[in-house]
């Protein structure tokens, strides 16, 4: 049987090499309690990476010479000691020292033992962030780069720390009711023992607090819900419904927004550059019973066929900075320069989409990012080049700390009648 801490270590090694946790975390063979421990250690260690290194570097004489895997072990151990009250410190030390003996040598095990014993002796003082500069303090405390802290301070002012803190929150599991109204779905799930909360600002959104077993239910198998964050659900709500409209979802997979569009438009063409993602989308189309969606592999950066559409969605590829609660790796891998490069691609995709939009049609542009460069910047550039267009209403940005949702930004462009 797998050891949960060794699974956590091997997963963290892959994440350090560039993988995403959700793609490489493989708990097969673990009991549920061990799976939960391994997953908690992995996500927590990644979330607090900069803070944990800050602590490690206080107690290691030559931190820059520290073996990568020993640093990973120390991060894991310090995360458990600081944030997991149910795991006794002495058990963490013993487990980590034994792991160091296996993956390295007695010398490394002695270093690990020495560092962790010093941390125990210092207690809470070992974890104090001693930084007078506010940017440095926030960067270390919440494990963000100083570049992003400074950027967020300009954008959020006094809400910056609230946002940073919210990125450690567990993202809710949110459903969208399909083929039934929300109250009916809620009643069905509550009868089975699930605890549900309706999200009043998004008509079909429902948070499930205890989702274990949810995907074995009759409601799931018969296609009465789809998992989709509330902010993501709000995107399609910007369109004017029209049962006769031809619609296009240009970056469609995994498909949640296409499914919504299929319920308010006559037909939806759903394009995506990934065949694998479209294959998974097709499975959900069959489960949910949609008959008016056509999927096709197509790169949104290339010109579209000559067909014209009344409604087009561009949920553009982006930095994903609104998804840090779900993918904490993002905050270490994306910088402002990357966002500027992405903005050029987003602008190209938006132009391709617009070429396929009928006069009088609507085009919704959205990203799961909160940066100005990927959102307002792209829209301002587009509208400057297309005076025949206008925004249907002011754009909307969702924030985790304000709305409890993923970070999302969205706006609806209307092409004037010719």
């Amino acid at each position: 049987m797998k050891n949960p801490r060794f699974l956590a270590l091997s997963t963290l090694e892959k994440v350090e090499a560039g993988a995403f946790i959700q793609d490489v975390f493989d708990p097969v063979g673990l009991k549920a309690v061990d799976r939960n421990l391994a997953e908690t250690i992995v996500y927590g260690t990644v979330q607090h990476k900069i803070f944990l290194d800050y602590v490690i570097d206080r107690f290691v004489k030559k931190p820059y010479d520290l073996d990568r895997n020993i640093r990973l072990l120390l991060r894991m151990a310090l995360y458990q000691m600081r944030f997991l009250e149910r795991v006794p410190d002495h058990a963490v030390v013993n487990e980590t020292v034994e792991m160091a003996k296996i993956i390295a040598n007695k010398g490394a095990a002695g270093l690990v033992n020495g560092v962790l014993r010093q941390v125990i002796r210092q207690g809470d003082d070992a974890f104090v962030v001693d930084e007078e500069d506010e940017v440095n303090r926030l960067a270390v405390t919440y494990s963000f780069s100083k570049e992003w802290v400074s950027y967020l301070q300009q954008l959020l002012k006094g809400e910056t720390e609230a946002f940073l803190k919210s990125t450690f929150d567990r993202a809710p599991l949110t459903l969208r009711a399909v083929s039934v109204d929300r109250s009916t779905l809620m009643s069905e799930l509550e009868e089975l023992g699930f605890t549900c909360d309706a999200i009043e600002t998004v008509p079909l959104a429902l948070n499930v607090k205890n989702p274990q077993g949810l995907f074995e239910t009759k409601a799931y198998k018969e296609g009465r819900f789809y998992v989709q964050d509330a902010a993501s659900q709000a995107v399609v709500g910007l369109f004017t419904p029209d049962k006769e409209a031809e619609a296009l979802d240009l970056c469609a997979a995994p498909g949640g927004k296409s499914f919504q569009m299929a319920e308010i438009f006559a037909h939806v063409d759903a394009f995506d550059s990934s065949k694998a993602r479209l294959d998974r989308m097709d499975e959900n189309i069959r489960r949910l019973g949609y008959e008016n969606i056509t999927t096709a592999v197509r790169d949104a950066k290339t010109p579209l066929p000559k067909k014209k559409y009344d409604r087009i969605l561009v949920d553009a590829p982006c930095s994903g900075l609104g998804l840090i609660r779900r993918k904490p790796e993002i905050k270490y891998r994306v910088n402002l320069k990357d966002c500027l490069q992405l903005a050029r691609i987003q602008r190209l995709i938006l132009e391709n989409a617009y070429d396929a939009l009928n006069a009088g049609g609507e085009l919704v542009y959205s990203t799961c990012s909160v940066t100005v460069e990927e959102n307002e910047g792209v829209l301002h550039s587009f509208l400057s080049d297309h005076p025949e267009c206008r925004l249907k209403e002011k754009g909307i940005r969702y924030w985790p700390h304000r709305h409890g949702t993923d970070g999302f930004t969205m706006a609806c462009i209307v092409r004037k009648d010719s």
Side-chain angles (χ1 to χ4, degrees), residues 195-380:
T195 303
C196 306
D197 286 330
I199 301 173
E200 296 308 321
T201 55
V202 183
L204 295 176
L206 191 68
N207 282 346
V208 180
K209 293 184 177 180
N210 55 333
Q212 187 173 358
L214 183 65
F215 302 104
E216 282 75 55
T217 62
K218 188 176 180 181
Y220 174 75
K221 293 175 182 177
E222 294 184 356
R224 288 194 283 281
F225 68 81
Y226 180 78
V227 175
Q228 186 179 7
D229 185 77
S232 175
Q233 294 185 39
V235 171
V236 173
L238 298 185
F239 283 118
T240 302
D242 183 348
K243 283 295 187 179
E244 297 183 357
E246 289 290 318
L248 168 65
D249 187 352
L250 191 50
C251 306
K257 300 179 189 68
S258 292
F259 305 152
Q260 288 178 268
M261 293 168 71
E263 294 170 15
I264 60 174
F265 304 134
H267 185 269
V268 180
D269 282 340
F271 298 160
D272 199 272
S273 61
S274 169
K275 183 179 184 303
R277 283 162 57 87
L278 281 178
D279 287 343
R280 292 194 293 272
M281 181 175 170
D282 286 335
E283 291 174 6
N284 275 312
I285 290 172
R286 290 189 289 272
R287 179 178 66 84
L288 297 168
Y290 293 109
E291 296 181 348
N292 60 336
I293 302 175
T294 302
T295 61
V297 177
R298 188 173 295 280
D299 186 345
K301 298 189 296 295
T302 61
L304 294 169
K306 297 299 181 182
K307 182 177 178 178
K308 293 288 187 177
Y309 297 90
D310 307 300
R311 304 286 187 270
I312 298 178
L313 172 62
V314 174
D315 186 36
C318 66
S319 65
L321 285 167
L323 305 180
I324 290 174
R325 294 181 305 173
R326 303 179 191 276
K327 297 180 178 181
E329 312 93 321
I330 289 172
K331 62 182 176 178
Y332 310 116
R333 297 180 184 175
V334 177
N335 57 36
L336 190 55
K337 183 179 178 181
D338 295 325
C339 294
L340 292 169
Q341 292 173 341
L342 281 164
R344 288 192 282 271
I345 295 171
Q346 292 156 350
R347 181 67 177 81
L348 172 62
I349 292 173
L350 190 56
E351 197 68 44
N352 284 339
Y354 182 68
D355 287 343
L357 185 66
N358 275 325
E362 295 178 353
L363 192 162
V364 168
Y365 175 80
S366 66
T367 74
C368 53
S369 178
V370 293
T371 68
V372 172
E373 287 73 14
E374 297 174 272
N375 294 290
E376 289 90 342
V378 171
L379 287 170
H380 177 75

Side-chain angles (χ1 to χ4, degrees), residues 1 4 30-40 86 212:
M1 183 172 291
L30 285 182
K31 294 183 293 186
V33 65
D34 288 337
R35 172 197 172 123
N36 290 339
L37 175 61
E39 189 172 33
T40 298
R86 69 181 184 270
Q212 187 173 358

Side-chain angles (χ1 to χ4, degrees), residues 176-186 188 204 219 223-225 263:
R176 186 178 70 84
V178 176
S179 74
V180 295
D181 59 66
R182 179 169 64 183
S183 60
T184 300
L185 176 63
M186 190 171 179
E188 180 177 356
L204 295 176
R224 288 194 283 281
F225 68 81
E263 294 170 15

Side-chain angles (χ1 to χ4, degrees), residues 19-137:
F20 281 98
I21 297 170
Q22 63 184 28
D23 295 330
V24 294
F25 181 70
D26 180 13
V28 174
L30 285 182
K31 294 183 293 186
V33 65
D34 288 337
R35 172 197 172 123
N36 290 339
L37 175 61
E39 189 172 33
T40 298
I41 291 172
V42 169
Y43 274 94
T45 301
V46 174
Q47 286 176 325
H48 295 276
K49 173 182 172 180
I50 292 174
F51 168 72
L52 297 171
D53 280 346
Y54 179 83
V55 177
I56 290 169
D57 292 351
R58 285 177 174 170
F59 294 95
V60 176
K61 290 182 179 179
K62 296 181 178 180
Y64 296 106
D65 292 337
L66 194 61
D67 177 80
R68 184 189 68 171
N69 280 355
I70 297 303
R71 182 174 286 276
L72 289 176
L73 272 184
L74 287 171
R75 285 179 191 162
M76 287 171 51
L78 291 175
Y79 168 73
Q80 294 170 80
M81 292 165 70
R82 184 59 173 171
F83 298 103
L84 297 188
E85 294 182 359
R86 69 181 184 270
V87 184
D89 287 352
H90 66 84
V92 174
V93 173
N94 291 340
E95 286 272 359
T96 308
V97 169
E98 290 304 311
M99 290 176 70
K101 290 178 182 176
I102 294 171
I103 70 167
N105 52 51
K106 288 185 178 180
L111 183 151
V112 167
N113 184 63
V115 168
L116 299 183
R117 297 291 177 189
Q118 287 184 71
V119 170
I120 289 174
R121 284 194 292 272
Q122 290 199 17
D124 289 344
D125 289 345
F127 297 99
V128 171
V129 176
D130 185 17
E131 296 289 333
E132 293 183 4
D133 179 80
E134 181 69 356
V135 171
N136 289 345
R137 181 187 73 81

